[in-house]
Amino acid sequence: MRKRQRASTIAVMALLASMTAITSASAQQLKFIVGTAAGGAIDAYVRVIAEHMSKTLGKTYIVESRPGNSSNLAAQYVVSAPADGTTIMIGTQALMEINPHVFNHPRWSQSDYLPLIKGVEAPLVLVAHPSVPAKTFKEFLDWAKSRSGFLSYASYSPGTPSHFLGALLNERFDLNLNHVPYRGSAPQTVDLLAGHALFGFTQTQSAVPNVETGKMRALAVTSEKRFPQLPDTPTFAELGYPEFNTGIWFGLLVRKDTPPNLVEPLLKAAVAAHGDPEVRKLLEAQGFLISGETGDSFAKAISAGSERWAKLVRSTGFKAGD
């Protein structure tokens, strides 16, 4: 009897030790949650930053893609996770500034999040497949108007700047375009390269290498000044259409109720990562512009961007399903 009790006690102690080890290992791991499919522009950003931060903090890391519902599933997952400083949301302009205006009942809100750092930003590029017989934006408009009702534009996801800039293009020039949304920049790029999609607003990280090799044609960029890696491509402002001026951003956020003593080391590690010359060099080579905006300044920028996109969303009448 005593032997059985002793064996049972040993088994329970082993189980508790195992559970403690698992909990300890979990506490040493950072989880970076991405709301889009793997292989897109966000991956190019987060993997560089995650590796640097993990070394600074002495933790392992994983990058976990949770695509679906325009990144709302990922956002909901993060606000449901423990506020222990180990789960980090890769926020985007679309998620934080646009989604609240296009979904009626998202299971998260801006107030659930504490913005840590706006990591990088970049304009979007209106690109066309080489089969499109237009080398300038004016030629593109003439071509599109001659095919009114028969053309579609590709966005990398519904409810994103890529979607709404296409809608603005359609409305501004009365092109009668259809909208074909994709589930991330990677699949959008695949179809743009194959000619299944003829044109659309895409991210610079997808556009630049393909424009350089002639697999895509850049018609205009949405930045105020010409983009350094596309020096021959005019801005919409240059062409007389400043209403298209905008950019996207990627950054890091955590749950609002994460204790300050856990937020502080994360923020310091994030600032160090974005300030590292080698990291900056890698990100700039991928077509990103480093921001590094933090704290209240970042939070206010999100609020201002949200107000701007709310007006454009209302003008299109777009509402996404929940």
Side-chain angles (χ1 to χ4, degrees), residues 25-160:
S26 176
Q28 296 304 312
Q29 185 179 70
L30 297 174
K31 293 176 68 174
F32 292 82
I33 307 301
V34 178
T36 58
I42 296 179
D43 267 8
Y45 162 69
V46 67
R47 294 188 184 279
V48 174
I49 294 302
E51 182 175 358
H52 194 287
M53 288 181 64
S54 70
K55 290 178 180 178
T56 299
L57 297 169
K59 299 186 177 185
T60 60
Y61 76 93
I62 59 171
V63 176
E64 187 174 325
S65 292
R66 287 180 169 266
N69 203 219
S70 296
S71 297
N72 283 322
L73 295 182
Q76 180 186 340
Y77 171 81
V78 173
V79 298
S80 300
D84 59 5
T86 64
T87 305
I88 302 169
M89 183 71 210
I90 307 304
T92 67
Q93 181 190 50
L95 175 66
M96 300 305 297
E97 297 179 9
I98 298 178
N99 277 19
H101 306 295
V102 301
F103 288 88
N104 290 321
H105 304 289
R107 295 179 176 87
W108 66 277
S109 69
Q110 289 178 345
S111 61
D112 291 327
Y113 278 98
L114 175 68
L116 286 181
I117 188 168
K118 179 196 285 187
V120 292
E121 49 195 349
L124 293 181
V125 189
L126 176 62
V127 298
H129 186 265
S131 63
V132 174
K135 294 185 178 180
T136 67
F137 182 66
K138 182 181 184 305
E139 290 176 356
F140 167 79
L141 288 180
D142 292 340
W143 171 78
K145 289 176 180 178
S146 72
R147 288 159 180 76
S148 177
F150 295 95
L151 295 175
S152 301
Y153 74 91
S155 77
Y156 52 74
S157 186
T160 63

Side-chain angles (χ1 to χ4, degrees), residues 237-320:
E238 282 181 65
L239 299 173
Y241 312 112
E243 63 268 35
F244 286 87
N245 285 2
T246 191
I248 61 167
W249 58 260
F250 303 150
L252 309 182
L253 307 100
V254 294
R255 276 185 49 172
K256 185 78 171 183
D257 51 353
T258 303
N261 66 305
L262 299 179
V263 171
E264 185 177 357
L266 282 178
L267 179 57
K268 286 184 177 179
V271 170
H274 290 84
D276 185 286
E278 288 301 313
V279 170
R280 296 175 73 91
K281 184 177 178 181
L282 284 171
L283 294 176
E284 287 168 356
Q286 294 167 6
F288 292 114
L289 304 173
I290 313 301
S291 171
E293 188 175 29
T294 62
D296 289 341
S297 177
F298 182 23
K300 289 177 181 177
I302 291 175
S303 296
S306 181
E307 290 180 9
R308 180 195 174 189
W309 285 106
K311 295 176 182 177
L312 183 53
V313 170
R314 284 196 297 269
S315 73
T316 64
F318 175 77
K319 276 291 181 181

Side-chain angles (χ1 to χ4, degrees), residues 152-177:
S152 301
Y153 74 91
S155 77
Y156 52 74
S157 186
T160 63
S162 177
H163 170 190
F164 290 116
L165 285 171
L168 180 61
L169 182 76
N170 190 31
E171 179 182 338
R172 176 68 173 78
F173 301 104
D174 193 25
L175 300 179
N176 197 17
L177 303 173

